[in-house]
Every structure is written in structure tokens, then in C-alpha cells.
Amino acid sequence: LSLFLCLSFICVSGLWATDAPPAEITKAARLGVAEFTQRGITSEMSRPAAFKQGESVVSTGYGFPVYTVTPKGMAVCSSLDAGAVRTGLWRFVVMSGDRAASLITVARVKGNWQAVSIGGAQLADEITRIMKQWPQENGYSYRFIRIYQARADFMEIRKNKNVVGYV
């Protein structure tokens, strides 16, 4: 019975937490964008970050926690949404003007939140398109799920707390 309760908690724990980024994580993302862009990351230097030469970057857009489903979670839980658990990472869409240019990843390093990577221009664009097609103002919410073993990313789309589908 104890094992069942523990596994049940693991399968639904990711659904209980709020997905709005805390202020300290948002601040780390903004500082990271400034730091990475000051280093001169351009499309010529780093293809995954689609900043054009001389283009003014940059603001952070939508921020979200990264979830995953472990192999053990897939074996125990009956659905992808039930097996999703937080990784501890946060990602933010980096905007350049009105265009998604990249994603910045924030992680806890030695007890502090800091930006650890930037890239994923194509994924940032896909996330932005999903959010336009299923807008939050129409009651939709999202959850980003990365399954490391499958090297696959999914955006879970919900409306009124019900899973509508995955992109």
C-alpha cells in the first residue's frame, strides 16, 4: 500500500505545482539573455540562436518549467500527462522584436538560479506558433515535456485542466 501511494504521488505531483516562473528565475533569464548577447552570439556564431547581426534583442517571453517522463514513470503511470515530473529546469522564449529567436535555459547552480544555455531557435518558433494557435486568453494552458531517452519534445495543451492533446 505504501509503495502504491508513493507511486501515485509521483505520477500526479507534477500537476499540483503552478507553472508561473518565480521572480528570481525570471531575473536569471533576463540577466542570462543580456550576458549571452553581450558576448556577441549571432546567427553566424551560433546557429541555434537566430539573432541577426545588429538586431536588437531582446526580451524574455513565455517562461515555463521543463517536465520529463522517466522510463520508470512510463512503466507505472497510465498516461504521458500522469507520468510527467519536473526536471528543475526552466526555459524562456527569447524574443527579438516580435519574433522568437531562441530559448534560454535557467538552472539552479550551486544554490543560485542562472542561465546555463541559449539556443533552440526552431523550437522557440514552434512554441510561439502553438501559443498563437491555442491562446491562453481562450483558456488554454501548456506544459513542455522533454523525454530524454526518446530525444523528443512535446507541448501538452490543456483547456480547463483537461488534456486536449500534444504537439
Side-chain angles (χ1 to χ4, degrees), residues 117-162:
S117 68
I118 193 166
Q122 184 177 1
L123 184 55
D125 184 56
E126 289 176 25
I127 289 169
T128 303
R129 283 185 287 154
I130 289 167
M131 294 179 70
K132 285 180 182 174
Q133 187 166 354
W134 293 281
Q136 288 179 315
E137 52 272 6
N138 289 352
Y140 292 99
S141 60
Y142 324 94
R143 189 161 61 158
F144 182 83
I145 303 172
R146 170 163 280 174
I147 301 179
Y148 294 97
Q149 292 80 3
R151 296 183 182 169
D153 297 320
F154 298 91
M155 185 65 93
E156 179 183 87
I157 302 167
R158 292 177 170 255
K159 186 162 188 177
N160 302 324
K161 298 185 180 183
N162 296 313

Side-chain angles (χ1 to χ4, degrees), residues 105-119:
T105 303
V106 176
R108 190 173 286 280
V109 178
K110 296 182 182 176
N112 297 310
W113 290 102
Q114 71 180 56
V116 294
S117 68
I118 193 166

Side-chain angles (χ1 to χ4, degrees):
L1 183 60
S2 298
L3 179 61
F4 173 76
L5 291 174
C6 287
L7 293 175
S8 297
F9 177 75
I10 289 169
C11 289
V12 298
S13 63
L15 300 177
W16 293 345
T18 178
D19 284 346
E24 65 183 320
I25 295 172
T26 302
K27 181 179 177 184
R30 289 186 182 134
L31 291 171
V33 167
E35 180 182 330
F36 282 115
T37 55
Q38 283 178 349
R39 290 184 195 169
I41 294 175
T42 65
S43 57
E44 290 81 23
M45 294 174 63
S46 176
R47 182 61 190 109
F51 304 126
K52 296 177 182 162
Q53 189 69 32
E55 183 176 47
S56 91
V57 179
V58 188
S59 61
T60 53
Y62 177 65
F64 52 92
V66 176
Y67 288 80
T68 193
V69 178
T70 64
K72 188 175 187 176
M74 289 297 282
V76 177
C77 298
S78 61
S79 64
L80 186 62
D81 67 307
V85 294
R86 286 183 181 233
T87 64
L89 299 174
W90 285 78
R91 297 193 91 183
F92 290 79
V93 175
V94 178
M95 303 298 293
S96 183
D98 62 349
R99 176 179 70 75
S102 186
L103 293 170
I104 192 157
T105 303
V106 176
R108 190 173 286 280
V109 178
K110 296 182 182 176
N112 297 310
W113 290 102
Q114 71 180 56
V116 294
S117 68
I118 193 166
Q122 184 177 1
L123 184 55
D125 184 56
E126 289 176 25
I127 289 169
T128 303
R129 283 185 287 154
I130 289 167
M131 294 179 70
K132 285 180 182 174
Q133 187 166 354
W134 293 281
Q136 288 179 315
E137 52 272 6
N138 289 352
Y140 292 99
S141 60
Y142 324 94
R143 189 161 61 158
F144 182 83
I145 303 172
R146 170 163 280 174
I147 301 179
Y148 294 97
Q149 292 80 3
R151 296 183 182 169
D153 297 320
F154 298 91
M155 185 65 93
E156 179 183 87
I157 302 167
R158 292 177 170 255
K159 186 162 188 177
N160 302 324
K161 298 185 180 183
N162 296 313
V163 175
V164 175
Y166 295 89
V167 177

